Amino acid sequence: MERNFDFRKRLLEVHQKNRKNEAVFKTIEGVEICLGWQIVYPDDACRLLKYAARDLREYFEVSMDIYLKALPASKSDKNAKRIIITTVDRAPEFKCEYDDASSYRLVVKESQIVVCGTDARGTAQGVYFLEDMMSLNEGPVVSLQNICRRPLYSPRMTHSGFGLDLFPDAHLRVLAHYGYDAILVFTTDINMTPLGFVDFNDLIYRAAGYGIDVYSYSYYHNSMHPDDEGAREYYDDKYGRLFAECPGLKGIVFVGESMEFPSRDEHTNGVPRHMTPGKINRDGRPFPGWYPCNDYPQWISMVRDVIRDKNPEADIVFWTYNWGYVNREARLELIRNLPTDISLQATFEMFEQFHISDTVTVRCVDYTLFFEGPGLYFASEAEE
């Protein structure tokens, strides 16, 4: 019997043990990496490059039962077969054909393997791809090749799979191996989440070592309309202060149900749930968080300004998650009026209707694999 939460131990296993199978990998044509090869990184390598080199060394030890040295270039043996981990600014001859951030070139020759990223994040992803190929080959064999790869999109965000807003280093490493380049932390105040204290700046620093950005997911209570006297100071004390105290935050995500404010759109009851006794809506109109209110553009513009005053590069993400059920024109009118220097996020598959039988109809829920998508809700907003 497994004890509760024992699954967490598996989530912290970055590399699986004993993946080597000679019956398989000895039949594969390519370069075999064995004892004597060296993993080499630049003398002035950043933390991410060093971590990637050490990760590869650990992979060989844990998964392939091969013990290699990982060391800076000046201390390496120039006559040894080497896996070189570098970036294009140090090795322009291995420049990737893509200029996208996190892209990389992988070159495999008989006595040398080069992983060269457009940046350190790209290099790290190239290292993880190299590990994946050997895992698929069930041994330390890689075919001769010269390829370039790039991410399909960025940011690719996730919450913690370990526990709500819990991100131990090993779990961050696992997420990086899966290609995630951003994480979300629910935020009720600086260093505070719904479950308690989290040191945001420590999390930002640790995540950066694995090529991962940190986004705040707003759980702040917003009790003022942008037109209210003192509203700018009020929101500066919330969001401006957050980005002043945590300058490494990549951005913030706003979702209707989690950050609603006292809207004056007459289609809503005008009162956020957190300001409603018992959170019970006795009005026939929805809470502001469940309707594309016509003053959301005004609200997001004010919050954008107080945040960008502290961090001009902050990514402001506005997510239309809660009102996909609303008529098309009301949703698209909101999008037309939003500021254009923010990111828009729409849920890919939600709100579609399915007729399972003549008498049973179901609505497609969010994040399902049941429906390929895109849903009409997503398609209409993406087109707009």
mmCIF file of all heavy atoms in Angstrom, residues 153 156 180 347-352 354 362-375:
data_model
loop_
_atom_site.group_PDB
_atom_site.id
_atom_site.type_symbol
_atom_site.label_atom_id
_atom_site.label_comp_id
_atom_site.label_asym_id
_atom_site.label_seq_id
_atom_site.Cartn_x
_atom_site.Cartn_y
_atom_site.Cartn_z
ATOM 1 N N TYR A 153 5.892 27.517 -28.909
ATOM 2 C CA TYR A 153 5.354 28.772 -28.387
ATOM 3 C C TYR A 153 5.927 29.037 -27.002
ATOM 4 O O TYR A 153 6.469 28.135 -26.352
ATOM 5 C CB TYR A 153 3.821 28.753 -28.314
ATOM 6 C CG TYR A 153 3.248 27.697 -27.394
ATOM 7 C CD1 TYR A 153 2.964 27.982 -26.056
ATOM 8 C CD2 TYR A 153 2.980 26.411 -27.844
ATOM 9 C CE1 TYR A 153 2.442 27.022 -25.210
ATOM 10 C CE2 TYR A 153 2.458 25.447 -27.012
ATOM 11 C CZ TYR A 153 2.183 25.758 -25.702
ATOM 12 O OH TYR A 153 1.663 24.799 -24.868
ATOM 13 N N ARG A 156 5.105 28.847 -21.893
ATOM 14 C CA ARG A 156 4.348 27.622 -21.659
ATOM 15 C C ARG A 156 4.298 27.437 -20.140
ATOM 16 O O ARG A 156 5.276 27.062 -19.515
ATOM 17 C CB ARG A 156 5.027 26.433 -22.332
ATOM 18 C CG ARG A 156 4.235 25.141 -22.206
ATOM 19 C CD ARG A 156 4.883 24.011 -23.002
ATOM 20 N NE ARG A 156 4.172 22.774 -22.759
ATOM 21 C CZ ARG A 156 4.744 21.622 -22.489
ATOM 22 N NH1 ARG A 156 6.068 21.542 -22.418
ATOM 23 N NH2 ARG A 156 4.034 20.548 -22.282
ATOM 24 N N TYR A 180 8.499 23.227 -19.989
ATOM 25 C CA TYR A 180 7.839 24.403 -19.427
ATOM 26 C C TYR A 180 8.868 25.503 -19.200
ATOM 27 O O TYR A 180 9.963 25.252 -18.701
ATOM 28 C CB TYR A 180 7.156 24.059 -18.098
ATOM 29 C CG TYR A 180 5.955 23.167 -18.261
ATOM 30 C CD1 TYR A 180 6.021 21.808 -17.962
ATOM 31 C CD2 TYR A 180 4.750 23.680 -18.727
ATOM 32 C CE1 TYR A 180 4.926 20.980 -18.122
ATOM 33 C CE2 TYR A 180 3.645 22.864 -18.890
ATOM 34 C CZ TYR A 180 3.735 21.515 -18.591
ATOM 35 O OH TYR A 180 2.641 20.698 -18.754
ATOM 36 N N THR A 347 -9.295 30.225 -23.322
ATOM 37 C CA THR A 347 -9.263 28.781 -23.094
ATOM 38 C C THR A 347 -9.652 28.043 -24.365
ATOM 39 O O THR A 347 -10.622 28.402 -25.032
ATOM 40 C CB THR A 347 -10.189 28.400 -21.936
ATOM 41 O OG1 THR A 347 -9.818 29.172 -20.789
ATOM 42 C CG2 THR A 347 -10.073 26.935 -21.591
ATOM 43 N N PHE A 348 -8.899 27.001 -24.679
ATOM 44 C CA PHE A 348 -8.921 26.415 -26.012
ATOM 45 C C PHE A 348 -10.198 25.649 -26.339
ATOM 46 O O PHE A 348 -10.665 25.662 -27.476
ATOM 47 C CB PHE A 348 -7.716 25.484 -26.167
ATOM 48 C CG PHE A 348 -7.455 25.039 -27.581
ATOM 49 C CD1 PHE A 348 -7.052 25.946 -28.548
ATOM 50 C CD2 PHE A 348 -7.609 23.715 -27.936
ATOM 51 C CE1 PHE A 348 -6.801 25.541 -29.845
ATOM 52 C CE2 PHE A 348 -7.359 23.300 -29.242
ATOM 53 C CZ PHE A 348 -6.955 24.213 -30.192
ATOM 54 N N GLU A 349 -10.771 24.937 -25.366
ATOM 55 C CA GLU A 349 -11.799 23.972 -25.719
ATOM 56 C C GLU A 349 -13.125 24.129 -24.978
ATOM 57 O O GLU A 349 -14.073 23.417 -25.232
ATOM 58 C CB GLU A 349 -11.269 22.545 -25.483
ATOM 59 C CG GLU A 349 -11.041 22.166 -24.014
ATOM 60 C CD GLU A 349 -9.879 22.874 -23.358
ATOM 61 O OE1 GLU A 349 -8.760 22.380 -23.426
ATOM 62 O OE2 GLU A 349 -10.119 23.946 -22.775
ATOM 63 N N MET A 350 -13.206 25.084 -24.076
ATOM 64 C CA MET A 350 -14.336 25.123 -23.146
ATOM 65 C C MET A 350 -15.639 25.583 -23.804
ATOM 66 O O MET A 350 -15.638 26.278 -24.807
ATOM 67 C CB MET A 350 -13.975 26.053 -21.984
ATOM 68 C CG MET A 350 -14.856 25.897 -20.761
ATOM 69 S SD MET A 350 -14.057 26.521 -19.254
ATOM 70 C CE MET A 350 -13.779 28.232 -19.654
ATOM 71 N N PHE A 351 -16.767 25.128 -23.222
ATOM 72 C CA PHE A 351 -18.136 25.560 -23.518
ATOM 73 C C PHE A 351 -18.758 24.924 -24.760
ATOM 74 O O PHE A 351 -19.893 25.251 -25.105
ATOM 75 C CB PHE A 351 -18.230 27.091 -23.649
ATOM 76 C CG PHE A 351 -17.935 27.822 -22.375
ATOM 77 C CD1 PHE A 351 -16.807 28.610 -22.252
ATOM 78 C CD2 PHE A 351 -18.791 27.712 -21.292
ATOM 79 C CE1 PHE A 351 -16.532 29.283 -21.079
ATOM 80 C CE2 PHE A 351 -18.526 28.396 -20.108
ATOM 81 C CZ PHE A 351 -17.394 29.177 -20.004
ATOM 82 N N GLU A 352 -18.060 24.015 -25.433
ATOM 83 C CA GLU A 352 -18.682 23.336 -26.580
ATOM 84 C C GLU A 352 -19.764 22.370 -26.105
ATOM 85 O O GLU A 352 -19.649 21.745 -25.043
ATOM 86 C CB GLU A 352 -17.625 22.575 -27.380
ATOM 87 C CG GLU A 352 -16.639 23.464 -28.089
ATOM 88 C CD GLU A 352 -17.308 24.383 -29.087
ATOM 89 O OE1 GLU A 352 -17.903 23.889 -30.058
ATOM 90 O OE2 GLU A 352 -17.238 25.615 -28.880
ATOM 91 N N PHE A 354 -21.949 18.879 -26.678
ATOM 92 C CA PHE A 354 -21.861 17.578 -27.328
ATOM 93 C C PHE A 354 -23.141 16.788 -27.081
ATOM 94 O O PHE A 354 -23.627 16.722 -25.952
ATOM 95 C CB PHE A 354 -20.670 16.782 -26.777
ATOM 96 C CG PHE A 354 -19.339 17.287 -27.233
ATOM 97 C CD1 PHE A 354 -18.645 18.209 -26.472
ATOM 98 C CD2 PHE A 354 -18.797 16.859 -28.425
ATOM 99 C CE1 PHE A 354 -17.429 18.694 -26.885
ATOM 100 C CE2 PHE A 354 -17.571 17.348 -28.857
ATOM 101 C CZ PHE A 354 -16.891 18.259 -28.095
ATOM 102 N N VAL A 362 -23.936 17.202 -23.220
ATOM 103 C CA VAL A 362 -22.966 17.619 -22.208
ATOM 104 C C VAL A 362 -22.212 18.848 -22.706
ATOM 105 O O VAL A 362 -22.111 19.079 -23.910
ATOM 106 C CB VAL A 362 -21.951 16.503 -21.874
ATOM 107 C CG1 VAL A 362 -22.649 15.303 -21.279
ATOM 108 C CG2 VAL A 362 -21.160 16.101 -23.108
ATOM 109 N N ARG A 363 -21.690 19.611 -21.762
ATOM 110 C CA ARG A 363 -20.873 20.770 -22.094
ATOM 111 C C ARG A 363 -19.408 20.418 -21.859
ATOM 112 O O ARG A 363 -19.051 19.863 -20.827
ATOM 113 C CB ARG A 363 -21.278 21.971 -21.238
ATOM 114 C CG ARG A 363 -20.367 23.177 -21.438
ATOM 115 C CD ARG A 363 -20.804 24.368 -20.613
ATOM 116 N NE ARG A 363 -21.972 25.019 -21.207
ATOM 117 C CZ ARG A 363 -22.559 26.087 -20.678
ATOM 118 N NH1 ARG A 363 -22.097 26.603 -19.557
ATOM 119 N NH2 ARG A 363 -23.603 26.627 -21.272
ATOM 120 N N CYS A 364 -18.580 20.774 -22.814
ATOM 121 C CA CYS A 364 -17.146 20.494 -22.716
ATOM 122 C C CYS A 364 -16.530 21.353 -21.606
ATOM 123 O O CYS A 364 -16.675 22.567 -21.591
ATOM 124 C CB CYS A 364 -16.494 20.812 -24.054
ATOM 125 S SG CYS A 364 -14.730 20.571 -24.095
ATOM 126 N N VAL A 365 -15.846 20.700 -20.686
ATOM 127 C CA VAL A 365 -15.208 21.425 -19.601
ATOM 128 C C VAL A 365 -13.798 21.844 -20.007
ATOM 129 O O VAL A 365 -13.258 21.405 -21.016
ATOM 130 C CB VAL A 365 -15.144 20.568 -18.313
ATOM 131 C CG1 VAL A 365 -16.543 20.267 -17.822
ATOM 132 C CG2 VAL A 365 -14.388 19.272 -18.569
ATOM 133 N N ASP A 366 -13.198 22.702 -19.193
ATOM 134 C CA ASP A 366 -11.854 23.202 -19.484
ATOM 135 C C ASP A 366 -10.809 22.121 -19.261
ATOM 136 O O ASP A 366 -10.954 21.258 -18.420
ATOM 137 C CB ASP A 366 -11.541 24.419 -18.625
ATOM 138 C CG ASP A 366 -11.977 24.249 -17.183
ATOM 139 O OD1 ASP A 366 -12.687 23.273 -16.883
ATOM 140 O OD2 ASP A 366 -11.606 25.085 -16.356
ATOM 141 N N TYR A 367 -9.739 22.211 -20.039
ATOM 142 C CA TYR A 367 -8.549 21.371 -19.912
ATOM 143 C C TYR A 367 -8.817 19.897 -20.205
ATOM 144 O O TYR A 367 -8.112 19.019 -19.719
ATOM 145 C CB TYR A 367 -7.901 21.507 -18.523
ATOM 146 C CG TYR A 367 -7.958 22.894 -17.948
ATOM 147 C CD1 TYR A 367 -8.518 23.134 -16.706
ATOM 148 C CD2 TYR A 367 -7.454 23.980 -18.664
ATOM 149 C CE1 TYR A 367 -8.583 24.422 -16.185
ATOM 150 C CE2 TYR A 367 -7.509 25.264 -18.147
ATOM 151 C CZ TYR A 367 -8.075 25.475 -16.918
ATOM 152 O OH TYR A 367 -8.137 26.751 -16.406
ATOM 153 N N THR A 368 -9.824 19.600 -21.001
ATOM 154 C CA THR A 368 -10.150 18.201 -21.267
ATOM 155 C C THR A 368 -9.392 17.677 -22.489
ATOM 156 O O THR A 368 -8.984 18.448 -23.364
ATOM 157 C CB THR A 368 -11.655 18.036 -21.508
ATOM 158 O OG1 THR A 368 -11.944 16.644 -21.709
ATOM 159 C CG2 THR A 368 -12.113 18.784 -22.753
ATOM 160 N N LEU A 369 -9.210 16.358 -22.538
ATOM 161 C CA LEU A 369 -8.688 15.693 -23.728
ATOM 162 C C LEU A 369 -9.829 15.109 -24.563
ATOM 163 O O LEU A 369 -9.606 14.494 -25.589
ATOM 164 C CB LEU A 369 -7.722 14.576 -23.332
ATOM 165 C CG LEU A 369 -6.461 15.011 -22.593
ATOM 166 C CD1 LEU A 369 -5.608 13.797 -22.227
ATOM 167 C CD2 LEU A 369 -5.648 15.964 -23.442
ATOM 168 N N PHE A 370 -11.074 15.308 -24.091
ATOM 169 C CA PHE A 370 -12.239 14.728 -24.740
ATOM 170 C C PHE A 370 -12.511 15.374 -26.097
ATOM 171 O O PHE A 370 -13.019 14.748 -27.012
ATOM 172 C CB PHE A 370 -13.454 14.895 -23.819
ATOM 173 C CG PHE A 370 -14.737 14.343 -24.361
ATOM 174 C CD1 PHE A 370 -14.969 12.975 -24.373
ATOM 175 C CD2 PHE A 370 -15.722 15.184 -24.858
ATOM 176 C CE1 PHE A 370 -16.157 12.465 -24.862
ATOM 177 C CE2 PHE A 370 -16.905 14.679 -25.355
ATOM 178 C CZ PHE A 370 -17.127 13.318 -25.354
ATOM 179 N N PHE A 371 -12.158 16.653 -26.213
ATOM 180 C CA PHE A 371 -12.468 17.430 -27.409
ATOM 181 C C PHE A 371 -11.173 17.997 -27.984
ATOM 182 O O PHE A 371 -10.393 18.627 -27.285
ATOM 183 C CB PHE A 371 -13.434 18.554 -27.020
ATOM 184 C CG PHE A 371 -13.689 19.562 -28.109
ATOM 185 C CD1 PHE A 371 -14.186 19.174 -29.339
ATOM 186 C CD2 PHE A 371 -13.445 20.908 -27.886
ATOM 187 C CE1 PHE A 371 -14.423 20.106 -30.335
ATOM 188 C CE2 PHE A 371 -13.687 21.848 -28.868
ATOM 189 C CZ PHE A 371 -14.187 21.441 -30.100
ATOM 190 N N GLU A 372 -10.931 17.766 -29.267
ATOM 191 C CA GLU A 372 -9.679 18.203 -29.887
ATOM 192 C C GLU A 372 -9.565 19.716 -29.946
ATOM 193 O O GLU A 372 -8.486 20.275 -29.794
ATOM 194 C CB GLU A 372 -9.570 17.635 -31.301
ATOM 195 C CG GLU A 372 -9.329 16.144 -31.352
ATOM 196 C CD GLU A 372 -9.161 15.657 -32.778
ATOM 197 O OE1 GLU A 372 -9.257 16.494 -33.708
ATOM 198 O OE2 GLU A 372 -8.932 14.461 -32.974
ATOM 199 N N GLY A 373 -10.665 20.396 -30.211
ATOM 200 C CA GLY A 373 -10.657 21.843 -30.293
ATOM 201 C C GLY A 373 -10.154 22.351 -31.641
ATOM 202 O O GLY A 373 -9.755 21.573 -32.491
ATOM 203 N N PRO A 374 -10.141 23.661 -31.834
ATOM 204 C CA PRO A 374 -10.556 24.648 -30.844
ATOM 205 C C PRO A 374 -12.065 24.798 -30.749
ATOM 206 O O PRO A 374 -12.783 24.471 -31.698
ATOM 207 C CB PRO A 374 -9.937 25.947 -31.378
ATOM 208 C CG PRO A 374 -9.947 25.764 -32.867
ATOM 209 C CD PRO A 374 -9.647 24.305 -33.080
ATOM 210 N N GLY A 375 -12.527 25.283 -29.603
ATOM 211 C CA GLY A 375 -13.938 25.593 -29.451
ATOM 212 C C GLY A 375 -14.280 26.909 -30.134
ATOM 213 O O GLY A 375 -13.403 27.713 -30.454
#
